[in-house]
Amino acid sequence: MLSSSQGKLVRNGEEKKSVIWIEGNIASGKTTCLEYFSKTSDIEVLTEPVSKWRNVQGCNPLGLMYQDPSRWGLTLQTYVQLTMLDRHVLPMACTSPTEPLKGHGGGKKSSTPVRMMERSIYSAKYIFAENLYKSGKMPEVDFAVLSEWFEWIIKNIAIPVDLIVYLQTSPQTCYERLKQRCREEEKVIPLEYLESIHNLYEDWLIHHKSFEVPAPVLVIPADHDLKKMLHQYEENREKILMAHC
Ligand code: TTP
Ligand code: MG
């Protein structure tokens, strides 16, 4: 049940939780980061609904968007916005307090449940929709309609966040990882696309030049190999999981 609290719709009877968003360019390693924490700590992890973007009732809006962004950009971004909102308002699972598993750092216990999410409705709008519009691939009317939806949502529905973890990569690194993982729809992505996404992220989360940043940002350099990345996650475990303190 949704009820109104301080002008925004929130869920009844939900206890306070700490919410962490993992942000970064395409193929920056967000899913790997989430998987690492889901395996090594007792937190709730929500991966991105990318499988839905590739298959909604038998259609593939992600693939269509890459084939013809001007025609299908709004279709994809509307659906991304819906699926991300659905994630943001999902009632908290009954996880026990955060306690790293044996052998994975000694962080303090927290009495607040922790949710970690891949991306957010904010980056879908401030990075991807913005990029489509700015590059001339989304018609003004499409961008206006999407923007009005977005503004209504963030004004009227509580989207909690306590910390943004920004996996900062070079576009070149993402390009190489993208080629390696070979997701069918993404084969058409040129390096320049990843550079545009990168620049929008930097303007938003590092230079604070573009849009509101809704929580403190922890920057983790993410050009390294997997071993070094896992080491960095371990080093930052406490800072990340104690985000609400
Ligand atoms: P990502 O959200 O970057 O997810 P990923 O799994 O590729 O990243 P990582 O390897 O770091 O886990 O993107 C998934 C795909 O969806 C990618 O092709 C970009 C696309 N996308 C959009 O086109 N619009 C959007 O608003 C979002 C959020 C993603
Ligand atoms: Mg991912």
Side-chain angles (χ1 to χ4, degrees):
M1 281 286 284
L2 293 170
S3 68
S4 183
S5 160
Q6 294 171 343
K8 293 204 176 185
L9 296 171
V10 292
R11 284 175 186 275
N12 283 336
E14 258 197 70
E15 60 181 310
K16 165 84 179 105
K17 62 191 170 232
S18 178
V19 180
I20 302 148
W21 297 347
I22 308 298
E23 294 281 358
N25 207 337
I26 304 169
S28 56
K30 298 178 294 297
T31 300
T32 309
C33 173
L34 278 134
E35 280 171 358
Y36 179 71
F37 281 104
S38 86
K39 280 187 201 138
T40 59
S41 34
D42 189 10
I43 63 170
E44 184 190 13
V45 165
L46 300 183
T47 50
E48 201 169 47
V50 64
S51 60
K52 290 189 173 184
W53 308 341
R54 303 175 83 186
N55 183 358
V56 48
Q57 301 186 22
C59 304
N60 181 349
L62 183 69
L64 288 169
M65 186 283 292
Y66 280 126
Q67 292 309 318
D68 186 353
S70 309
R71 170 66 185 86
W72 299 109
L74 178 68
T75 308
L76 173 68
Q77 292 307 136
T78 305
Y79 193 52
V80 169
Q81 193 154 274
L82 171 67
T83 54
M84 291 310 304
L85 178 60
D86 181 61
R87 287 283 201 272
H88 286 297
V89 301
L90 207 65
M92 192 80 176
C94 291
T95 46
S96 53
T98 306
E99 186 179 7
L101 298 181
K102 266 191 193 151
H104 288 284
K108 278 177 277 168
K109 275 192 193 179
S110 152
S111 57
T112 308
V114 176
R115 167 177 287 176
M116 196 179 266
M117 289 184 56
E118 182 165 0
R119 283 198 190 285
S120 59
I121 196 169
Y122 279 73
S123 52
K125 176 63 169 61
Y126 291 164
I127 307 294
F128 287 92
E130 184 74 15
N131 185 50
L132 282 166
Y133 178 59
K134 280 206 155 163
S135 61
K137 293 190 181 104
M138 181 180 274
E140 196 167 355
V141 60
D142 289 5
F143 188 68
V145 170
L146 191 72
S147 298
E148 296 244 333
W149 258 115
F150 176 75
E151 293 301 330
W152 187 93
I153 290 166
I154 61 166
K155 187 164 165 239
N156 292 287
I157 300 178
I159 312 277
V161 55
D162 297 284
L163 179 73
I164 298 174
V165 175
Y166 174 39
L167 300 183
Q168 190 179 43
T169 46
S170 69
Q172 186 65 42
T173 301
C174 292
Y175 189 61
E176 276 150 27
R177 290 180 187 161
L178 205 76
K179 279 194 287 186
Q180 265 176 18
R181 87 172 168 203
C182 228
R183 205 181 261 157
E184 190 55 38
E185 295 83 350
E186 295 175 346
K187 285 185 177 159
V188 294
I189 296 181
L191 177 60
E192 296 71 45
Y193 185 78
L194 298 172
E195 283 169 348
S196 306
I197 298 291
H198 173 78
N199 292 336
L200 285 164
Y201 256 117
E202 294 281 304
D203 282 351
W204 180 37
L205 295 182
I206 303 289
H207 309 306
H208 298 252
K209 273 200 331 213
S210 49
F211 306 104
E212 172 214 356
V213 180
V217 179
L218 174 70
V219 182
I220 298 189
D223 278 333
H224 309 292
D225 63 17
L226 182 64
K227 191 169 170 227
K228 172 100 198 265
M229 286 314 299
L230 299 188
H231 183 68
Q232 288 197 103
Y233 295 145
E234 206 42 62
E235 278 183 342
N236 285 285
R237 169 184 293 280
E238 201 161 312
K239 265 194 221 161
I240 296 171
L241 297 186
M242 307 307 275
H244 59 284
C245 295

